Amino acid sequence: MIEIEGITKRYDSTTVVDDVSMVIEPRTVCVIVGTSGSGKTTLLRMINRLVEPTAGVIKLDGADNRSLPGYELRRSIGYAIQGHGLFPHRTVAQNIATVPVLLGWDKARIKARVDELMTLYQLDPDAFGPRYPHELSGGQQQRVGVARALAAEPNVLLMDEPFGALDPIIRNKAQEDLLAIQKRFGTTIILVTHDMEEAVHMGDKIAVMDAGKLVQYAKPAEILANPASAFVGTLVGASERPFRLLSLGRVRDAVEDGSAEGEAISGDASQRDALAELLWSGRPALPVKGADGKPLGRVTVDGLVKRAARPA
Amino acid sequence: MKAWLPSLLRLALVVLLVAFVTNPGWFEPLLKPLTENNAPVIYNQGSLLTLTLLHLRIVLIATVAATVVAVALAILVTRPAGAEFLPLSRSLVNIGQTFPPVAVLALAVPAVGFGEKPTLIALFLYGLLPIFENALTGLTTLPANVTEAARGAGMTGWQRLTKVELPLSAPIILGGIRLSVVIGLATATIGSTVAAKTLGEVIIAGLLSNNLAFILQGGLIVAALAVLIYDGLSAVERYTARRMGREVE
C-alpha cells in the first residue's frame, strides 16, 4: 500500500504539486492523468525520491520512504520511463540485470531471472540477450525497459509515460502485456500518462491532476460518469464518454439469452469492440462464445446502448 | 578509393618508420644529396631509435598526467558540489593553453633546471585543455533519459559515474586525448632547446650545422609518428563510440 499524505513540491515560488493526498491499494494499477505541467511526473518521482518533497510524507507499506537512503529505496522500486532509457553500452541481458547486480544477487539467480523475464516478454534470451539496445526495434526496447524495471521483483512499479514513444499497434500490445504481467506478479503499478484512453483501459483507479492539485481520484467508471470538474469532463471528452464506459466492460457481462447468426465474438472482448462490430456489420445481435468456444448467448445493440448510457 | 588502400598506406608508413629508426644507414644514399662538404648524413650524436623512444616516453608521461588531471577536474566540476568551480577551472586551463610553449620552457628552466622536467611541464599544460573540454562535453551531453534511468535504478553517484557516465563519455574524452597527443608530439621537439632528449635534438643539430639531412630526418620521424598515432587513436575512438552506442560526429 502506498499512502501519500499532504505532499507538496515547490520550486522557489512555483508550486508544482500542491497538497496531494491519496492511497494506492496493493496489487492494483493506479493511473495518474493530467496535462503537461500538471505535476503528475513530479508526484511520481517523489515516490522513489528522485525528487524530494517540500512538505508531506509518502509511506510504502506503512514505512516512511525517507527511512532508507534514496538509492536503496530506488533499488526496491521498479522505474520505467518514456523512451526506455536503456544503457546503450550494455547488452540487453546486462541492462535487465542492472538492479539485481546492484543488489548483489549471485550470478545463477540473475541469469535465471533475466531469462525468465525475457521469455515472458517473448524475447529469446539466447538471441537477444547478447545484443545491444540499438539493435532492437522500438517495441523490443520498450519491453526490455519494463523487464529491467521488474528485474529485482519489486512490489511497486513506477512508470512515466512508458508507452509514449510507441506506435498505436505496439502500444496496445505493450499495454496488454503489462496488465498480464501485473496480474501474474501482483505488482502495484503507478503509471503516469496524458492519454485518457490509456488511463481508462489500464487503471483500477484514476487520479486526475490539474495545476498541481489532485482534482479527482476514483474508479474509471466513476470518473466517466461523474467528472468532478469541468476540467475532468474535458479530459474525458464528452463525445468519447459512452464508448470509454463500454470499453470498461467485458462482453460476457452483457450477454443476453438467445442466439444470433454469424461469427461469434469472445466473451473476453470489450463491450466497445462488440458494439463496433455490431454497428459495422449492420447486425442487431452477435453470438457470444466462451473461452472454451461454447456459446454463451448473444449481445444486442439495444443492450449495449443501454449500458453506454450515463450510470445513475 | 579501394577500402584496403588506406590500411596498406599505414602499413607501409609503419614499416618505413621502423626501418628508418632502427637502420638509418640504409637510407644514407637517399639523403646524401642534401648534405655539403662531406658532412655526416645520418645523425651521429645518438641513436635515432633511442631518441624516438625518449620522445614518445615524454609525450606519454605528459599525456597520462594531463588526462588524469583534466578528467578528474571535469568530473569534479560536473558534480553538483563542484558546479561553481566550472568557470574558474575553465579559465585556469585556458591560461595554460594561451601561454606559448617557449615561454613555459623559459619560465620553467629557472624553477626546475634544464632537461626533461621543463618540457614535461609544458606538454602537461598543453595537454590539459583539449582533454578537459572534451571530458566536459562528454559528461554534460549524456542522454537525459539514460542518466535518469541510472538514478531510478538506484545507482549511487559513484556507480553512475563509473558504470554509465564515464563509459558513455569515453569516445569524446578519447578525442581530446588524441588532440593532446598530437600537440604534445610537436611541442616535445621544442623541448630540445632546454636539453630534453627528444627528436628535436636532431632538428636543432641540423639547423646549427646547416645540415638539411638532419632537419629532414628529425622532422619526418616526428611527422610520421604524429600521423600514425592520430590514425590509431581515431580508430580506437570509432570502436569505443560504436561499443557505447554513440555515433561519431
Side-chain angles (χ1 to χ4, degrees), chain B residues 211-231:
Chain B
N211 185 335
L212 199 55
F214 279 13
I215 301 175
L216 209 62
Q217 59 197 267
L220 284 178
I221 295 174
V222 175
L225 284 176
V227 168
L228 286 172
I229 291 175
Y230 185 91
D231 222 38

Side-chain angles (χ1 to χ4, degrees), chain B residues 62-186:
Chain B
T63 308
V64 168
T67 305
V68 170
V69 173
V71 172
L73 207 61
I75 291 170
L76 210 68
V77 298
T78 48
R79 303 304 102 184
E84 52 186 305
F85 296 106
L86 181 59
L88 178 72
S89 55
R90 262 219 170 101
S91 43
L92 272 179
V93 175
N94 269 318
I95 290 171
Q97 193 79 4
T98 32
F99 246 72
V102 179
V104 177
L105 287 176
L107 287 175
V109 168
V112 296
F114 283 95
E116 278 204 328
K117 281 186 197 156
T119 316
L120 272 174
I121 293 173
L123 290 191
F124 168 73
L125 289 178
Y126 270 78
L128 280 177
L129 185 71
I131 305 177
F132 178 70
E133 284 286 2
N134 278 35
L136 264 191
T137 311
L139 288 171
T140 51
T141 58
L142 295 164
N145 60 0
V146 172
T147 45
E148 166 89 357
R151 273 190 82 203
M155 292 190 183
T156 60
W158 176 252
Q159 287 167 333
R160 288 203 302 277
L161 178 69
T162 54
K163 294 182 169 198
V164 178
E165 298 177 19
L166 283 180
L168 288 182
S169 318
I172 301 179
I173 297 177
L174 271 172
I177 294 176
R178 176 169 50 101
L179 282 178
S180 160
V181 166
V182 173
I183 296 175
L185 280 169

